[in-house]
Amino acid sequence: MLEPVRRTYSSPLRAESARRTRVLVRDAAARLFVDRGYVRTTVRTVAEAAGVATRTVFTAFPGGKAELFHEALAAAIEGGDDSMPTVYASASRDGDPVERILDEVVGYGADVLERAGTLMLTSIKSSGADEDMRRFAEEGARASAANAMTLAEGLAAHDLLRPEISVQRAADVLFTVVSPQVHSMLRHDCGWDIDEYRNWVKAMIRASLLH
């Protein structure tokens, strides 16, 4: 007699429910990481904030807190419709190329920091107390430095940097000015609004790097 074929049961409703639970848990964790810090946040407190069982958190995120933080940060960074601008594309369009480049570069950086800056800062602040956070902070710094170098190379290629400014110096300035630390100090500690912050970053880049 032939064995009955076992079929994998897949329910769209069940999959959607699992996705919603995952988002609910992830967002609750993101709030706690920012409010309490990574070290003080536990899977149990995430479960309580999300209104689910601790077992549900581990089912959705088997990697525990580290996976939760990674997912929360990735969702915040990727949460907008924007993509990193290129100096080459910006400079090729009509109008003042310098102003357009500044608008696009600073606008992109500010939007990412508005969404993800507090989580980035959480990893930096917790890096001395937790190995996972140290890894996240180091990876974030490398990615930011690489983006800054790409933009600096674009500025140099279009002869927008002052003669005494090297590409590396320009990358260092961009890396520093458009950083989660500076963003947090001005936006949260000093209470600047987003337009004040953007205008300051543009002015700093102009004064420090450009003709």
Side-chain angles (χ1 to χ4, degrees):
M1 182 178 294
L2 295 175
E3 291 280 342
V5 177
R6 293 184 177 179
R7 297 183 179 179
T8 303
Y9 176 70
S10 176
S11 166
L13 291 178
R14 181 179 296 177
E16 176 61 17
S17 177
R19 187 195 68 79
R20 289 178 180 273
T21 298
R22 188 177 174 85
V23 171
L24 177 69
V25 171
R26 182 199 71 199
D27 291 349
R31 290 191 297 271
L32 288 175
F33 289 143
V34 171
D35 293 341
R36 299 187 180 187
Y38 183 83
V39 175
R40 290 182 58 203
T41 298
T42 65
V43 171
R44 181 177 178 179
T45 58
V46 171
E48 291 173 351
V52 300
T54 301
R55 178 178 59 186
T56 301
V57 176
F58 280 113
T59 298
F61 297 92
K65 276 206 311 181
E67 184 181 359
L68 270 168
F69 187 88
H70 179 272
E71 290 286 330
L73 181 58
I77 291 174
E78 298 167 4
D81 297 328
D82 47 355
S83 57
M84 192 177 85
T86 64
V87 172
Y88 305 97
S90 299
S92 65
R93 293 199 290 271
D94 295 334
D96 180 359
V98 175
E99 189 62 27
R100 188 169 55 252
I101 288 166
L102 286 174
D103 282 341
E104 292 196 14
V105 169
V106 173
Y108 168 81
D111 288 346
V112 171
L113 289 171
E114 286 293 302
R115 297 192 304 267
T118 50
L119 282 171
M120 292 177 182
L121 202 59
T122 294
S123 68
I124 295 168
K125 289 180 177 179
S126 303
S127 61
D130 185 271
E131 185 176 345
D132 289 321
M133 286 295 97
R134 183 162 57 252
R135 175 169 54 85
F136 283 128
E138 290 172 352
E139 290 175 354
R142 284 194 295 270
S144 296
N147 289 340
M149 178 57 73
T150 297
L151 294 171
E153 289 171 345
L155 293 172
H158 285 280
D159 196 30
L160 297 176
L161 296 178
R162 296 204 303 271
E164 71 274 17
I165 303 296
S166 67
V167 172
Q168 183 60 61
R169 176 58 61 90
D172 292 343
V173 170
L174 291 167
F175 175 74
T176 301
V177 173
V178 189
S179 68
Q181 295 95 324
V182 171
H183 174 266
S184 178
M185 284 189 289
L186 296 180
R187 289 282 288 124
H188 304 299
D189 298 341
C190 298
W192 287 18
D193 65 34
I194 186 61
D195 289 333
E196 289 175 315
Y197 168 76
R198 286 196 184 103
N199 290 335
W200 178 85
V201 173
K202 287 168 62 176
M204 287 296 296
I205 293 174
R206 273 190 179 277
S208 301
L209 304 178
L210 306 183
H211 288 295

